[in-house]
Amino acid sequence: MLKIEGLTIHYGVIPAVKELNIDIPQGKVVCLIGTNGSGKTTTLRGISGIIKPKSGRILFEGKDLSRLDSHEIVRMGISQVPEGRGVFADLTVLENLKLGAFIRKDKQAINKDLEEVFALFPRLNERKHQQSGTLSGGEQQMLAMGRALMARPKLLLLDEPSMGLAPIIVKEIFKIIKRINDEGTTVLLVEQNANMALSVAHHGYVLETGEIVAQGTADELQNNDMIRRIYLGIH
């Protein structure tokens, strides 16, 4: 579904990612793991059109995205849940969710999707008229995910969904990621919590200073001694 070929992105003169090659098959969960500053978020921003690549191609269903604007990429079927959640604090939960459907005109289907988001995240339904800034971190993460789903994406980009959340909430979020994927949405997951990422992913890539240092199925990465030692904390 998504193929990244030789992607290089610079911040000024500093290369943030170098010659990346990544494949994301339709219907799968693929994770990018790595420490802070390894280029994970930059890769997602390149896919979303927030940053323009210096070289390389990003092919989505065979079309090159690398020169398109972000709103055009959303229309093609890619939604991103940003790091830090990025909800509109002064708007209600319902208003945030409706904003996620801003590119759509199909009113009836939008209402049906709202019901589906509330079924996926019952807590959002309970708080739908509440200002988003008053929600807990976990609820804001759920709202950011629900808002992205309102665009009906074929590919969902998730940037650090576990960041700053209590372990019990992290488990809940990852159960929902698995469910979203089971229902047919392809997922690209960027995550520092390698254990959680590999528990839901089919395939993973390990980034270090903007380059891929390892890749494989989730099982292969979980059994790789270097990965176990550095990223999973297993000696």
Side-chain angles (χ1 to χ4, degrees):
M1 179 181 256
L2 188 85
K3 195 173 183 61
I4 294 175
E5 298 176 338
L7 184 69
T8 298
I9 299 175
H10 282 203
Y11 288 116
V13 295
I14 300 159
V17 299
K18 309 162 207 167
E19 293 286 327
L20 284 195
N21 294 298
I22 291 172
D23 277 314
I24 298 157
Q26 187 163 351
K28 301 293 185 191
V29 179
V30 174
C31 67
L32 302 183
I33 55 179
T35 53
N36 252 341
S38 59
K40 305 185 304 298
T41 293
T42 300
T43 304
L44 288 194
R45 287 178 170 173
I47 297 167
S48 295
I50 297 165
I51 307 171
K52 296 293 177 235
K54 188 169 172 60
S55 59
R57 299 197 305 165
I58 302 162
L59 300 169
F60 180 63
E61 296 183 325
K63 299 184 189 80
D64 192 353
L65 308 179
S66 46
R67 294 286 168 259
L68 296 182
D69 290 330
S70 294
H71 65 92
E72 296 171 293
I73 291 168
V74 173
R75 282 181 201 282
M76 287 176 75
I78 299 177
S79 287
Q80 181 168 344
V81 180
E83 183 182 354
R85 306 183 259 284
V87 301
F88 297 102
D90 295 339
L91 301 182
T92 65
V93 166
L94 192 55
E95 287 166 339
N96 266 273
L97 290 172
K98 285 183 173 174
L99 269 178
F102 79 100
I103 57 165
R104 297 172 56 189
K105 300 284 182 279
D106 46 343
K107 273 242 167 69
Q108 272 182 309
I110 288 171
N111 289 331
K112 183 173 168 290
D113 288 351
L114 262 177
E115 293 310 312
E116 285 182 14
V117 166
F118 287 141
L120 204 53
F121 305 103
R123 226 171 302 178
L124 296 183
N125 196 19
E126 292 162 20
R127 291 161 171 64
K128 62 183 168 194
H129 300 302
Q130 204 169 309
Q131 274 195 325
S132 302
T134 64
L135 301 179
S136 70
E139 289 161 353
Q140 288 190 10
Q141 183 62 51
M142 292 172 190
L143 177 55
M145 288 166 70
R147 184 180 60 192
L149 289 172
M150 287 301 296
R152 279 214 176 156
K154 299 174 190 172
L155 172 63
L156 183 65
L157 310 177
L158 287 165
D159 196 355
E160 301 285 5
S162 77
M163 186 182 274
L165 301 182
I168 191 162
I169 303 293
V170 171
K171 275 191 179 153
E172 197 178 334
I173 294 285
F174 274 81
K175 264 192 203 148
I176 293 165
I177 292 169
K178 189 168 181 340
R179 193 167 146 196
I180 289 167
N181 176 245
D182 287 345
E183 289 173 4
T185 305
T186 307
V187 177
L188 176 58
L189 169 65
V190 154
E191 184 54 71
Q192 271 192 35
N193 185 336
N195 273 309
M196 287 307 293
L198 292 170
S199 75
V200 296
H202 299 96
H203 198 91
Y205 293 84
V206 181
L207 264 67
E208 255 179 44
T209 58
E211 296 180 88
I212 292 165
V213 292
Q215 63 164 298
T217 65
D219 283 347
E220 285 166 352
L221 292 177
Q222 279 169 321
N223 293 313
N224 175 311
D225 286 341
M226 183 267 285
I227 307 295
R228 286 165 69 87
R229 200 174 61 251
I230 298 173
Y231 297 99
L232 305 178
I234 302 166
H235 296 284

